[in-house]
Amino acid sequence: MSQILYLPHGGGPLPLIGHPGYARLAEMLRSLNDRIAHCKAIIVATAHWEAPRPTLTHAARPGMLYDYYGFPPETYELVYPAPGAPELAERAAEAMRMSGLSPLLDDQRGYDHGVFVPMMLVRPQADIPILQMSLLSSLDARQHIALGRSLATVLADDVCLIGSGFSFHNLGAITGRLPVDPARGAAMADAFHQWMDDTVCNPQHSPAERAERLAGWEDAPGARFCHPREEHLLPLHVCFGAAQAGGLSATQIFGEPVQGYRTSGYLWQD
């Protein structure tokens, strides 16, 4: 049974250390444990890895990559010891090549916080092999939908796909560095998320219509306020592409404010 999820992973390690702004998000992530328990492996498309070509971790035991700064010392000692998935990486790379892509395998990269932060909550047992996958440095929406489509045959074998991002990722607004009226900012975030929820979940839209709307996401209300740079949104496009190729339908599993701004998460399944 295929499972595809787009998950907000929060700000750095904050969901792991009891930050009150992430309490509901952490609760949602913990609730997914049983849902993915059957998976033979998990592919995580992380917002924190960009490469010119799709790149896949290939180590049997990936290390840790603490790609954040300014947090308590204990957050640099976190360990998520899930095994890697080198054989799955090779299968996924072949599927990508069959789709006209040119993937690379990386034996050195460790789990970045787009992987270990949500997975420490989703699956603290760390017993399911993880394949970490990069985004494309082009940040092209259509290319990421195509990247997701290329994974459809791999996901058919009880492999889960998680797009790890954040549907609201204007750090200036969250931290107060951006001079924006809070009410106006919240309204723009709400407008974008209403558009996104409708695009992803409304059964009145055909798969082709969804693809066009997501490809043109910048035209949505509040889009560039929510995503001054789109790397945290594009894991959604990867998930959508895979779900579209597999004929899966979406439901919303999270739709609440995180640190004052609306955030969404989605599940696609048979």
Side-chain angles (χ1 to χ4, degrees):
M1 179 176 62
S2 296
Q3 298 274 3
I4 299 175
L5 300 115
Y6 172 69
L7 300 178
H9 61 235
L14 293 177
L16 295 175
I17 60 175
H19 188 287
Y22 293 92
R24 296 298 297 273
L25 173 59
E27 179 184 359
M28 181 275 290
L29 293 172
R30 291 189 185 98
S31 75
L32 299 174
N33 193 331
D34 289 344
R35 181 172 290 282
I36 66 163
H38 71 283
C39 294
K40 296 177 181 176
I42 301 171
I43 301 174
V44 183
T46 170
H48 291 280
W49 188 12
E50 300 170 27
R53 295 157 60 181
T55 307
L56 304 161
T57 51
H58 193 238
R61 288 287 173 181
M64 302 291 289
L65 177 58
Y66 304 108
D67 53 337
Y68 43 69
Y69 60 91
F71 292 96
E74 62 268 23
T75 65
Y76 299 89
E77 299 175 0
L78 297 168
V79 176
Y80 190 69
E87 292 183 3
L88 176 61
E90 292 166 13
R91 286 168 42 212
E94 179 59 25
M96 290 179 184
R97 284 190 286 269
M98 294 291 290
S99 297
L101 302 173
S102 299
L104 295 174
L105 300 178
D106 186 323
D107 293 316
Q108 301 301 314
R109 187 177 175 92
Y111 295 140
D112 64 45
H113 82 270
V115 175
F116 71 79
V117 168
M119 291 310 303
M120 288 182 78
L121 294 166
V122 172
R123 192 68 180 177
Q125 299 96 316
D127 56 349
I128 300 176
I130 301 288
L131 171 57
Q132 182 175 251
M133 184 177 80
S134 77
L135 300 181
L136 298 168
S137 52
S138 67
L139 300 183
D140 181 273
R142 291 186 190 275
Q143 290 179 353
H144 285 84
I145 293 173
L147 179 59
R149 289 185 185 128
S150 75
L151 296 172
T153 57
V154 178
L155 300 179
D157 189 25
D158 278 345
V159 174
C160 175
L161 171 63
I162 292 177
S164 177
F166 210 167
S167 64
F168 181 88
H169 198 250
N170 186 328
L171 297 183
I174 289 175
T175 61
R177 296 194 306 263
L178 180 70
V180 59
D181 176 71
R184 181 171 178 269
M188 286 191 286
D190 285 344
F192 178 71
H193 283 82
Q194 288 174 21
W195 173 88
M196 190 163 63
D197 296 344
D198 177 63
T199 296
V200 173
C201 299
N202 188 339
Q204 294 183 353
H205 298 304
S206 70
E209 288 171 334
R210 294 186 206 281
E212 285 303 308
R213 286 166 67 101
L214 286 172
W217 71 272
E218 291 177 272
D219 296 327
R224 277 299 178 190
F225 174 71
C226 293
H227 293 280
R229 192 174 187 275
E230 55 264 47
E231 80 286 345
H232 276 69
L233 179 66
L234 290 173
L236 170 69
H237 292 69
V238 177
C239 290
F240 168 77
Q244 183 187 45
L248 308 183
S249 57
T251 55
Q252 186 184 65
I253 58 172
F254 190 75
E256 299 184 34
V258 174
Q259 288 194 280
Y261 291 97
R262 171 70 188 281
T263 306
S264 287
Y266 305 104
L267 164 70
W268 291 262
Q269 58 186 345
D270 297 309

